[in-house]
Amino acid sequence: VAGSHVVAVLLHDDTSGFTSGIVGEIFGRPAPAAGMPWYTLRVCAEGGGVTMIGGARLRTGFDLDGLVNADTVIVPGVPHMSDEPSAAAVAALRTAHRGGARLVSICSGTFALAATGLLDGRRAATHWAEAAELSRRHPSIIVDQDVLYVDDGDIITSAGQAAGLDLCLHLVRRDHGADVANRVARRMVIPPHRDGGQAQFIEAPVNADPADDRITGAMAWASGNLATPITVAALAAHARMSVRGFQRHFTRCTGSSPIRWLIRQRVHASLPLLETSDASVETIAARVGFESAVTFRHHFARLMRTSPSTYRKTFRSGRSAL
DNA sequence: GGGTTTTTCCGCCACC
DNA sequence: CTGGTGGCGGAAAAAC
């Protein structure tokens, strides 16, 4: 598509403004750098308007026709989204998908995508409290309860309302690279990437475990010192725990083991370097804390499904026209 | 790519 | 008895 990438957000009654606001903040604001291809946002609703939580009414600039020729269609969740969406909305989503649009849902918006049948046999995420209901209604969908979002190529689903933020940043990363996504994240004053499970949010988010502070403290220390070799023993020492206890607490509050988390951090830190610097792969490997380039390539390939050098080439040769 | 060494993981048990 | 902690050792993974 020449020119601007069209993002259509499809609202439903009882929208809170929060999720649609996320979409607006990321896709509705100007590009982080002048002159680059960016997004055009269309806010759409069946009938040209929706009710909002608290009794407000929102009139949108587009009806379902706003989905026509969109490159991305985003459906934010609302309470009771699990009610069957209208036939017209389902048809519009199907048509958009057939026309090449990627379909995106936030939180319970996944139910609307599920109603199109396009998710059958594929992996999807939704809010943890509604995962069971989604499985019951659409048994062929593989509901992943352990992630913030699932990117299945042309269909991308996210777990909770705030996970929609992670997902939208992920889309920017996919379209324009990690460096641009990081700049958008910085503008919004949020961390550029959150890892892993919603598991950490499921159990007792209210009763904060004092051990979590020591874990996050160790994580912060590691993030700031990625360039140096870091052992699990050193992390445990920073958390003032035994290695065994540290591993236990880390997996509980993070959903992944310490070393896996660390490797992800290192790979993520390498992305902007690959995109914007001319440093060799070896140099970058060292800068993000891998002891050898071989190890770096190994983990990069496992997580990104490409090699560091082809990743670099992809973002050098104007992939952002997507 | 395959083999060796080192590190991490995790079940188990003992302890508080 | 419950619920958390540390240490040990074999299995698995990572680094070389």
PDB file of all heavy atoms in Angstrom, chain A residues 268-305:
ATOM      1  N   HIS A 268      16.761  -8.829  22.866  1.00  0.00           N
ATOM      2  CA  HIS A 268      15.977  -7.618  22.621  1.00  0.00           C
ATOM      3  C   HIS A 268      16.864  -6.390  22.570  1.00  0.00           C
ATOM      4  O   HIS A 268      16.636  -5.477  21.779  1.00  0.00           O
ATOM      5  CB  HIS A 268      14.898  -7.448  23.689  1.00  0.00           C
ATOM      6  CG  HIS A 268      13.730  -8.345  23.476  1.00  0.00           C
ATOM      7  ND1 HIS A 268      13.004  -8.354  22.305  1.00  0.00           N
ATOM      8  CD2 HIS A 268      13.169  -9.288  24.264  1.00  0.00           C
ATOM      9  CE1 HIS A 268      12.049  -9.257  22.387  1.00  0.00           C
ATOM     10  NE2 HIS A 268      12.134  -9.850  23.556  1.00  0.00           N
ATOM     11  N   ALA A 269      17.876  -6.371  23.424  1.00  0.00           N
ATOM     12  CA  ALA A 269      18.780  -5.220  23.433  1.00  0.00           C
ATOM     13  C   ALA A 269      19.577  -5.141  22.137  1.00  0.00           C
ATOM     14  O   ALA A 269      20.005  -4.062  21.725  1.00  0.00           O
ATOM     15  CB  ALA A 269      19.725  -5.307  24.635  1.00  0.00           C
ATOM     16  N   SER A 270      19.750  -6.269  21.478  1.00  0.00           N
ATOM     17  CA  SER A 270      20.550  -6.266  20.247  1.00  0.00           C
ATOM     18  C   SER A 270      19.771  -5.698  19.062  1.00  0.00           C
ATOM     19  O   SER A 270      20.369  -5.232  18.095  1.00  0.00           O
ATOM     20  CB  SER A 270      21.015  -7.683  19.922  1.00  0.00           C
ATOM     21  OG  SER A 270      19.949  -8.447  19.363  1.00  0.00           O
ATOM     22  N   LEU A 271      18.430  -5.717  19.116  1.00  0.00           N
ATOM     23  CA  LEU A 271      17.636  -5.327  17.948  1.00  0.00           C
ATOM     24  C   LEU A 271      17.906  -3.901  17.488  1.00  0.00           C
ATOM     25  O   LEU A 271      18.223  -3.688  16.317  1.00  0.00           O
ATOM     26  CB  LEU A 271      16.143  -5.543  18.230  1.00  0.00           C
ATOM     27  CG  LEU A 271      15.735  -6.987  18.548  1.00  0.00           C
ATOM     28  CD1 LEU A 271      14.230  -7.083  18.731  1.00  0.00           C
ATOM     29  CD2 LEU A 271      16.189  -7.935  17.451  1.00  0.00           C
ATOM     30  N   PRO A 272      17.773  -2.904  18.373  1.00  0.00           N
ATOM     31  CA  PRO A 272      18.047  -1.547  17.895  1.00  0.00           C
ATOM     32  C   PRO A 272      19.485  -1.371  17.425  1.00  0.00           C
ATOM     33  O   PRO A 272      19.740  -0.578  16.522  1.00  0.00           O
ATOM     34  CB  PRO A 272      17.748  -0.655  19.100  1.00  0.00           C
ATOM     35  CG  PRO A 272      17.535  -1.549  20.244  1.00  0.00           C
ATOM     36  CD  PRO A 272      17.282  -2.920  19.749  1.00  0.00           C
ATOM     37  N   LEU A 273      20.415  -2.095  18.040  1.00  0.00           N
ATOM     38  CA  LEU A 273      21.810  -1.981  17.597  1.00  0.00           C
ATOM     39  C   LEU A 273      21.967  -2.507  16.171  1.00  0.00           C
ATOM     40  O   LEU A 273      22.672  -1.914  15.353  1.00  0.00           O
ATOM     41  CB  LEU A 273      22.732  -2.758  18.541  1.00  0.00           C
ATOM     42  CG  LEU A 273      22.792  -2.242  19.986  1.00  0.00           C
ATOM     43  CD1 LEU A 273      23.658  -3.143  20.845  1.00  0.00           C
ATOM     44  CD2 LEU A 273      23.317  -0.815  20.007  1.00  0.00           C
ATOM     45  N   LEU A 274      21.301  -3.621  15.879  1.00  0.00           N
ATOM     46  CA  LEU A 274      21.377  -4.173  14.527  1.00  0.00           C
ATOM     47  C   LEU A 274      20.763  -3.209  13.517  1.00  0.00           C
ATOM     48  O   LEU A 274      21.248  -3.067  12.393  1.00  0.00           O
ATOM     49  CB  LEU A 274      20.649  -5.517  14.461  1.00  0.00           C
ATOM     50  CG  LEU A 274      21.370  -6.697  15.105  1.00  0.00           C
ATOM     51  CD1 LEU A 274      20.431  -7.884  15.251  1.00  0.00           C
ATOM     52  CD2 LEU A 274      22.590  -7.082  14.291  1.00  0.00           C
ATOM     53  N   GLU A 275      19.682  -2.540  13.940  1.00  0.00           N
ATOM     54  CA  GLU A 275      18.972  -1.676  13.001  1.00  0.00           C
ATOM     55  C   GLU A 275      19.730  -0.389  12.705  1.00  0.00           C
ATOM     56  O   GLU A 275      19.792   0.051  11.575  1.00  0.00           O
ATOM     57  CB  GLU A 275      17.592  -1.316  13.556  1.00  0.00           C
ATOM     58  CG  GLU A 275      16.639  -2.498  13.580  1.00  0.00           C
ATOM     59  CD  GLU A 275      15.454  -2.224  14.479  1.00  0.00           C
ATOM     60  OE1 GLU A 275      15.131  -1.048  14.689  1.00  0.00           O
ATOM     61  OE2 GLU A 275      14.867  -3.192  14.986  1.00  0.00           O
ATOM     62  N   THR A 276      20.261   0.215  13.757  1.00  0.00           N
ATOM     63  CA  THR A 276      20.762   1.579  13.581  1.00  0.00           C
ATOM     64  C   THR A 276      22.272   1.708  13.571  1.00  0.00           C
ATOM     65  O   THR A 276      22.779   2.728  13.150  1.00  0.00           O
ATOM     66  CB  THR A 276      20.215   2.507  14.687  1.00  0.00           C
ATOM     67  OG1 THR A 276      20.668   2.008  15.941  1.00  0.00           O
ATOM     68  CG2 THR A 276      18.711   2.533  14.672  1.00  0.00           C
ATOM     69  N   SER A 277      23.008   0.729  14.063  1.00  0.00           N
ATOM     70  CA  SER A 277      24.468   0.876  14.062  1.00  0.00           C
ATOM     71  C   SER A 277      25.078   0.010  12.977  1.00  0.00           C
ATOM     72  O   SER A 277      24.442  -0.885  12.434  1.00  0.00           O
ATOM     73  CB  SER A 277      25.052   0.487  15.417  1.00  0.00           C
ATOM     74  OG  SER A 277      25.174  -0.923  15.505  1.00  0.00           O
ATOM     75  N   ASP A 278      26.319   0.283  12.660  1.00  0.00           N
ATOM     76  CA  ASP A 278      27.024  -0.527  11.667  1.00  0.00           C
ATOM     77  C   ASP A 278      27.974  -1.508  12.332  1.00  0.00           C
ATOM     78  O   ASP A 278      28.806  -2.128  11.675  1.00  0.00           O
ATOM     79  CB  ASP A 278      27.809   0.389  10.716  1.00  0.00           C
ATOM     80  CG  ASP A 278      26.864   1.169   9.814  1.00  0.00           C
ATOM     81  OD1 ASP A 278      25.885   0.565   9.348  1.00  0.00           O
ATOM     82  OD2 ASP A 278      27.102   2.374   9.597  1.00  0.00           O
ATOM     83  N   ALA A 279      27.870  -1.615  13.651  1.00  0.00           N
ATOM     84  CA  ALA A 279      28.768  -2.523  14.368  1.00  0.00           C
ATOM     85  C   ALA A 279      28.584  -3.952  13.867  1.00  0.00           C
ATOM     86  O   ALA A 279      27.489  -4.349  13.471  1.00  0.00           O
ATOM     87  CB  ALA A 279      28.479  -2.439  15.858  1.00  0.00           C
ATOM     88  N   SER A 280      29.655  -4.707  13.880  1.00  0.00           N
ATOM     89  CA  SER A 280      29.589  -6.090  13.427  1.00  0.00           C
ATOM     90  C   SER A 280      28.760  -6.925  14.389  1.00  0.00           C
ATOM     91  O   SER A 280      28.537  -6.536  15.536  1.00  0.00           O
ATOM     92  CB  SER A 280      30.996  -6.676  13.343  1.00  0.00           C
ATOM     93  OG  SER A 280      31.516  -6.818  14.645  1.00  0.00           O
ATOM     94  N   VAL A 281      28.310  -8.055  13.914  1.00  0.00           N
ATOM     95  CA  VAL A 281      27.528  -8.946  14.759  1.00  0.00           C
ATOM     96  C   VAL A 281      28.327  -9.347  15.999  1.00  0.00           C
ATOM     97  O   VAL A 281      27.793  -9.429  17.105  1.00  0.00           O
ATOM     98  CB  VAL A 281      27.083 -10.188  13.957  1.00  0.00           C
ATOM     99  CG1 VAL A 281      26.442 -11.219  14.876  1.00  0.00           C
ATOM    100  CG2 VAL A 281      26.109  -9.781  12.868  1.00  0.00           C
ATOM    101  N   GLU A 282      29.611  -9.562  15.813  1.00  0.00           N
ATOM    102  CA  GLU A 282      30.470  -9.922  16.944  1.00  0.00           C
ATOM    103  C   GLU A 282      30.469  -8.825  18.008  1.00  0.00           C
ATOM    104  O   GLU A 282      30.339  -9.090  19.202  1.00  0.00           O
ATOM    105  CB  GLU A 282      31.919 -10.125  16.482  1.00  0.00           C
ATOM    106  CG  GLU A 282      32.064 -10.725  15.097  1.00  0.00           C
ATOM    107  CD  GLU A 282      32.526 -12.169  15.129  1.00  0.00           C
ATOM    108  OE1 GLU A 282      33.315 -12.500  16.012  1.00  0.00           O
ATOM    109  OE2 GLU A 282      32.057 -12.946  14.264  1.00  0.00           O
ATOM    110  N   THR A 283      30.627  -7.582  17.530  1.00  0.00           N
ATOM    111  CA  THR A 283      30.665  -6.452  18.456  1.00  0.00           C
ATOM    112  C   THR A 283      29.349  -6.332  19.217  1.00  0.00           C
ATOM    113  O   THR A 283      29.335  -6.140  20.437  1.00  0.00           O
ATOM    114  CB  THR A 283      30.918  -5.138  17.683  1.00  0.00           C
ATOM    115  OG1 THR A 283      32.033  -5.329  16.823  1.00  0.00           O
ATOM    116  CG2 THR A 283      31.171  -4.007  18.646  1.00  0.00           C
ATOM    117  N   ILE A 284      28.251  -6.461  18.480  1.00  0.00           N
ATOM    118  CA  ILE A 284      26.942  -6.333  19.115  1.00  0.00           C
ATOM    119  C   ILE A 284      26.735  -7.459  20.120  1.00  0.00           C
ATOM    120  O   ILE A 284      26.238  -7.247  21.231  1.00  0.00           O
ATOM    121  CB  ILE A 284      25.827  -6.322  18.051  1.00  0.00           C
ATOM    122  CG1 ILE A 284      25.918  -5.016  17.255  1.00  0.00           C
ATOM    123  CG2 ILE A 284      24.458  -6.452  18.694  1.00  0.00           C
ATOM    124  CD1 ILE A 284      24.917  -4.904  16.135  1.00  0.00           C
ATOM    125  N   ALA A 285      27.160  -8.666  19.728  1.00  0.00           N
ATOM    126  CA  ALA A 285      27.049  -9.805  20.644  1.00  0.00           C
ATOM    127  C   ALA A 285      27.729  -9.478  21.965  1.00  0.00           C
ATOM    128  O   ALA A 285      27.173  -9.692  23.044  1.00  0.00           O
ATOM    129  CB  ALA A 285      27.664 -11.047  20.014  1.00  0.00           C
ATOM    130  N   ALA A 286      28.925  -8.911  21.872  1.00  0.00           N
ATOM    131  CA  ALA A 286      29.668  -8.577  23.089  1.00  0.00           C
ATOM    132  C   ALA A 286      28.967  -7.459  23.852  1.00  0.00           C
ATOM    133  O   ALA A 286      28.858  -7.497  25.074  1.00  0.00           O
ATOM    134  CB  ALA A 286      31.093  -8.157  22.730  1.00  0.00           C
ATOM    135  N   ARG A 287      28.442  -6.481  23.108  1.00  0.00           N
ATOM    136  CA  ARG A 287      27.846  -5.317  23.763  1.00  0.00           C
ATOM    137  C   ARG A 287      26.592  -5.669  24.560  1.00  0.00           C
ATOM    138  O   ARG A 287      26.262  -5.011  25.533  1.00  0.00           O
ATOM    139  CB  ARG A 287      27.531  -4.241  22.719  1.00  0.00           C
ATOM    140  CG  ARG A 287      27.402  -2.870  23.334  1.00  0.00           C
ATOM    141  CD  ARG A 287      27.227  -1.800  22.281  1.00  0.00           C
ATOM    142  NE  ARG A 287      28.371  -1.692  21.388  1.00  0.00           N
ATOM    143  CZ  ARG A 287      28.373  -0.947  20.276  1.00  0.00           C
ATOM    144  NH1 ARG A 287      27.294  -0.277  19.942  1.00  0.00           N
ATOM    145  NH2 ARG A 287      29.437  -0.891  19.512  1.00  0.00           N
ATOM    146  N   VAL A 288      25.864  -6.687  24.126  1.00  0.00           N
ATOM    147  CA  VAL A 288      24.669  -7.068  24.881  1.00  0.00           C
ATOM    148  C   VAL A 288      24.949  -8.242  25.824  1.00  0.00           C
ATOM    149  O   VAL A 288      24.036  -8.784  26.426  1.00  0.00           O
ATOM    150  CB  VAL A 288      23.476  -7.404  23.962  1.00  0.00           C
ATOM    151  CG1 VAL A 288      23.089  -6.194  23.147  1.00  0.00           C
ATOM    152  CG2 VAL A 288      23.778  -8.598  23.075  1.00  0.00           C
ATOM    153  N   GLY A 289      26.230  -8.617  25.924  1.00  0.00           N
ATOM    154  CA  GLY A 289      26.616  -9.524  26.994  1.00  0.00           C
ATOM    155  C   GLY A 289      26.751 -10.992  26.637  1.00  0.00           C
ATOM    156  O   GLY A 289      26.918 -11.823  27.523  1.00  0.00           O
ATOM    157  N   PHE A 290      26.696 -11.330  25.340  1.00  0.00           N
ATOM    158  CA  PHE A 290      26.963 -12.721  24.978  1.00  0.00           C
ATOM    159  C   PHE A 290      28.469 -12.938  24.936  1.00  0.00           C
ATOM    160  O   PHE A 290      29.215 -12.081  24.468  1.00  0.00           O
ATOM    161  CB  PHE A 290      26.345 -13.063  23.613  1.00  0.00           C
ATOM    162  CG  PHE A 290      24.859 -13.227  23.649  1.00  0.00           C
ATOM    163  CD1 PHE A 290      24.031 -12.219  23.179  1.00  0.00           C
ATOM    164  CD2 PHE A 290      24.291 -14.363  24.182  1.00  0.00           C
ATOM    165  CE1 PHE A 290      22.653 -12.351  23.229  1.00  0.00           C
ATOM    166  CE2 PHE A 290      22.915 -14.511  24.229  1.00  0.00           C
ATOM    167  CZ  PHE A 290      22.093 -13.500  23.757  1.00  0.00           C
ATOM    168  N   GLU A 291      28.882 -14.093  25.415  1.00  0.00           N
ATOM    169  CA  GLU A 291      30.313 -14.348  25.497  1.00  0.00           C
ATOM    170  C   GLU A 291      30.903 -14.617  24.121  1.00  0.00           C
ATOM    171  O   GLU A 291      32.075 -14.394  23.898  1.00  0.00           O
ATOM    172  CB  GLU A 291      30.587 -15.529  26.430  1.00  0.00           C
ATOM    173  CG  GLU A 291      29.983 -15.329  27.800  1.00  0.00           C
ATOM    174  CD  GLU A 291      31.037 -15.362  28.893  1.00  0.00           C
ATOM    175  OE1 GLU A 291      32.186 -15.722  28.614  1.00  0.00           O
ATOM    176  OE2 GLU A 291      30.683 -15.033  30.037  1.00  0.00           O
ATOM    177  N   SER A 292      30.095 -15.102  23.208  1.00  0.00           N
ATOM    178  CA  SER A 292      30.613 -15.306  21.857  1.00  0.00           C
ATOM    179  C   SER A 292      29.514 -15.037  20.845  1.00  0.00           C
ATOM    180  O   SER A 292      28.321 -15.104  21.149  1.00  0.00           O
ATOM    181  CB  SER A 292      31.132 -16.734  21.689  1.00  0.00           C
ATOM    182  OG  SER A 292      30.051 -17.592  21.371  1.00  0.00           O
ATOM    183  N   ALA A 293      29.924 -14.737  19.618  1.00  0.00           N
ATOM    184  CA  ALA A 293      28.960 -14.464  18.555  1.00  0.00           C
ATOM    185  C   ALA A 293      28.172 -15.718  18.199  1.00  0.00           C
ATOM    186  O   ALA A 293      27.014 -15.639  17.791  1.00  0.00           O
ATOM    187  CB  ALA A 293      29.681 -13.921  17.324  1.00  0.00           C
ATOM    188  N   VAL A 294      28.800 -16.870  18.364  1.00  0.00           N
ATOM    189  CA  VAL A 294      28.106 -18.127  18.076  1.00  0.00           C
ATOM    190  C   VAL A 294      26.889 -18.273  18.979  1.00  0.00           C
ATOM    191  O   VAL A 294      25.777 -18.572  18.537  1.00  0.00           O
ATOM    192  CB  VAL A 294      29.056 -19.329  18.255  1.00  0.00           C
ATOM    193  CG1 VAL A 294      28.315 -20.624  17.989  1.00  0.00           C
ATOM    194  CG2 VAL A 294      30.253 -19.196  17.342  1.00  0.00           C
ATOM    195  N   THR A 295      27.111 -18.042  20.245  1.00  0.00           N
ATOM    196  CA  THR A 295      26.025 -18.120  21.214  1.00  0.00           C
ATOM    197  C   THR A 295      24.931 -17.112  20.880  1.00  0.00           C
ATOM    198  O   THR A 295      23.742 -17.417  20.917  1.00  0.00           O
ATOM    199  CB  THR A 295      26.563 -17.822  22.623  1.00  0.00           C
ATOM    200  OG1 THR A 295      27.770 -18.540  22.801  1.00  0.00           O
ATOM    201  CG2 THR A 295      25.568 -18.230  23.667  1.00  0.00           C
ATOM    202  N   PHE A 296      25.365 -15.900  20.535  1.00  0.00           N
ATOM    203  CA  PHE A 296      24.417 -14.851  20.159  1.00  0.00           C
ATOM    204  C   PHE A 296      23.561 -15.310  18.976  1.00  0.00           C
ATOM    205  O   PHE A 296      22.336 -15.262  19.032  1.00  0.00           O
ATOM    206  CB  PHE A 296      25.185 -13.580  19.815  1.00  0.00           C
ATOM    207  CG  PHE A 296      24.329 -12.478  19.246  1.00  0.00           C
ATOM    208  CD1 PHE A 296      23.151 -12.086  19.883  1.00  0.00           C
ATOM    209  CD2 PHE A 296      24.710 -11.812  18.084  1.00  0.00           C
ATOM    210  CE1 PHE A 296      22.370 -11.057  19.366  1.00  0.00           C
ATOM    211  CE2 PHE A 296      23.934 -10.794  17.565  1.00  0.00           C
ATOM    212  CZ  PHE A 296      22.767 -10.417  18.199  1.00  0.00           C
ATOM    213  N   ARG A 297      24.200 -15.802  17.936  1.00  0.00           N
ATOM    214  CA  ARG A 297      23.454 -16.242  16.742  1.00  0.00           C
ATOM    215  C   ARG A 297      22.469 -17.354  17.094  1.00  0.00           C
ATOM    216  O   ARG A 297      21.334 -17.375  16.632  1.00  0.00           O
ATOM    217  CB  ARG A 297      24.423 -16.729  15.663  1.00  0.00           C
ATOM    218  CG  ARG A 297      25.236 -15.618  15.046  1.00  0.00           C
ATOM    219  CD  ARG A 297      25.884 -16.046  13.731  1.00  0.00           C
ATOM    220  NE  ARG A 297      26.693 -14.964  13.199  1.00  0.00           N
ATOM    221  CZ  ARG A 297      27.992 -14.838  13.442  1.00  0.00           C
ATOM    222  NH1 ARG A 297      28.626 -15.727  14.197  1.00  0.00           N
ATOM    223  NH2 ARG A 297      28.658 -13.821  12.933  1.00  0.00           N
ATOM    224  N   HIS A 298      22.941 -18.255  17.923  1.00  0.00           N
ATOM    225  CA  HIS A 298      22.097 -19.377  18.317  1.00  0.00           C
ATOM    226  C   HIS A 298      20.792 -18.892  18.959  1.00  0.00           C
ATOM    227  O   HIS A 298      19.694 -19.255  18.546  1.00  0.00           O
ATOM    228  CB  HIS A 298      22.862 -20.278  19.280  1.00  0.00           C
ATOM    229  CG  HIS A 298      22.032 -21.355  19.907  1.00  0.00           C
ATOM    230  ND1 HIS A 298      21.706 -22.515  19.243  1.00  0.00           N
ATOM    231  CD2 HIS A 298      21.440 -21.436  21.118  1.00  0.00           C
ATOM    232  CE1 HIS A 298      20.970 -23.260  20.022  1.00  0.00           C
ATOM    233  NE2 HIS A 298      20.791 -22.637  21.172  1.00  0.00           N
ATOM    234  N   HIS A 299      20.916 -18.043  19.958  1.00  0.00           N
ATOM    235  CA  HIS A 299      19.728 -17.587  20.683  1.00  0.00           C
ATOM    236  C   HIS A 299      18.892 -16.625  19.853  1.00  0.00           C
ATOM    237  O   HIS A 299      17.670 -16.611  19.943  1.00  0.00           O
ATOM    238  CB  HIS A 299      20.136 -16.943  22.004  1.00  0.00           C
ATOM    239  CG  HIS A 299      20.641 -17.939  22.991  1.00  0.00           C
ATOM    240  ND1 HIS A 299      19.833 -18.931  23.511  1.00  0.00           N
ATOM    241  CD2 HIS A 299      21.866 -18.135  23.516  1.00  0.00           C
ATOM    242  CE1 HIS A 299      20.552 -19.678  24.335  1.00  0.00           C
ATOM    243  NE2 HIS A 299      21.788 -19.222  24.351  1.00  0.00           N
ATOM    244  N   PHE A 300      19.565 -15.816  19.050  1.00  0.00           N
ATOM    245  CA  PHE A 300      18.833 -14.904  18.181  1.00  0.00           C
ATOM    246  C   PHE A 300      17.929 -15.694  17.232  1.00  0.00           C
ATOM    247  O   PHE A 300      16.744 -15.398  17.089  1.00  0.00           O
ATOM    248  CB  PHE A 300      19.807 -14.036  17.387  1.00  0.00           C
ATOM    249  CG  PHE A 300      19.145 -12.871  16.701  1.00  0.00           C
ATOM    250  CD1 PHE A 300      19.130 -11.627  17.303  1.00  0.00           C
ATOM    251  CD2 PHE A 300      18.523 -13.025  15.466  1.00  0.00           C
ATOM    252  CE1 PHE A 300      18.514 -10.554  16.690  1.00  0.00           C
ATOM    253  CE2 PHE A 300      17.902 -11.957  14.842  1.00  0.00           C
ATOM    254  CZ  PHE A 300      17.898 -10.716  15.452  1.00  0.00           C
ATOM    255  N   ALA A 301      18.511 -16.722  16.624  1.00  0.00           N
ATOM    256  CA  ALA A 301      17.749 -17.531  15.674  1.00  0.00           C
ATOM    257  C   ALA A 301      16.578 -18.214  16.370  1.00  0.00           C
ATOM    258  O   ALA A 301      15.479 -18.300  15.843  1.00  0.00           O
ATOM    259  CB  ALA A 301      18.665 -18.569  15.024  1.00  0.00           C
ATOM    260  N   ARG A 302      16.803 -18.691  17.576  1.00  0.00           N
ATOM    261  CA  ARG A 302      15.751 -19.394  18.286  1.00  0.00           C
ATOM    262  C   ARG A 302      14.578 -18.455  18.587  1.00  0.00           C
ATOM    263  O   ARG A 302      13.415 -18.815  18.411  1.00  0.00           O
ATOM    264  CB  ARG A 302      16.316 -19.973  19.592  1.00  0.00           C
ATOM    265  CG  ARG A 302      15.460 -21.043  20.237  1.00  0.00           C
ATOM    266  CD  ARG A 302      16.192 -21.685  21.414  1.00  0.00           C
ATOM    267  NE  ARG A 302      16.654 -20.708  22.392  1.00  0.00           N
ATOM    268  CZ  ARG A 302      15.882 -20.169  23.322  1.00  0.00           C
ATOM    269  NH1 ARG A 302      14.620 -20.501  23.396  1.00  0.00           N
ATOM    270  NH2 ARG A 302      16.372 -19.286  24.168  1.00  0.00           N
ATOM    271  N   LEU A 303      14.873 -17.223  19.013  1.00  0.00           N
ATOM    272  CA  LEU A 303      13.814 -16.306  19.425  1.00  0.00           C
ATOM    273  C   LEU A 303      13.207 -15.534  18.256  1.00  0.00           C
ATOM    274  O   LEU A 303      12.021 -15.245  18.249  1.00  0.00           O
ATOM    275  CB  LEU A 303      14.353 -15.316  20.462  1.00  0.00           C
ATOM    276  CG  LEU A 303      14.680 -15.913  21.819  1.00  0.00           C
ATOM    277  CD1 LEU A 303      15.446 -14.913  22.669  1.00  0.00           C
ATOM    278  CD2 LEU A 303      13.400 -16.323  22.527  1.00  0.00           C
ATOM    279  N   MET A 304      14.011 -15.166  17.291  1.00  0.00           N
ATOM    280  CA  MET A 304      13.538 -14.277  16.234  1.00  0.00           C
ATOM    281  C   MET A 304      13.242 -15.009  14.927  1.00  0.00           C
ATOM    282  O   MET A 304      12.723 -14.428  13.991  1.00  0.00           O
ATOM    283  CB  MET A 304      14.576 -13.174  15.961  1.00  0.00           C
ATOM    284  CG  MET A 304      14.957 -12.354  17.174  1.00  0.00           C
ATOM    285  SD  MET A 304      13.579 -11.432  17.877  1.00  0.00           S
ATOM    286  CE  MET A 304      13.174 -10.361  16.500  1.00  0.00           C
ATOM    287  N   ARG A 305      13.635 -16.251  14.858  1.00  0.00           N
ATOM    288  CA  ARG A 305      13.428 -17.049  13.655  1.00  0.00           C
ATOM    289  C   ARG A 305      14.101 -16.470  12.418  1.00  0.00           C
ATOM    290  O   ARG A 305      13.617 -16.622  11.302  1.00  0.00           O
ATOM    291  CB  ARG A 305      11.920 -17.274  13.389  1.00  0.00           C
ATOM    292  CG  ARG A 305      11.277 -18.051  14.527  1.00  0.00           C
ATOM    293  CD  ARG A 305       9.790 -18.142  14.393  1.00  0.00           C
ATOM    294  NE  ARG A 305       9.221 -18.748  15.599  1.00  0.00           N
ATOM    295  CZ  ARG A 305       9.193 -20.049  15.831  1.00  0.00           C
ATOM    296  NH1 ARG A 305       9.679 -20.891  14.945  1.00  0.00           N
ATOM    297  NH2 ARG A 305       8.682 -20.512  16.951  1.00  0.00           N
TER     298      ARG A 305
END
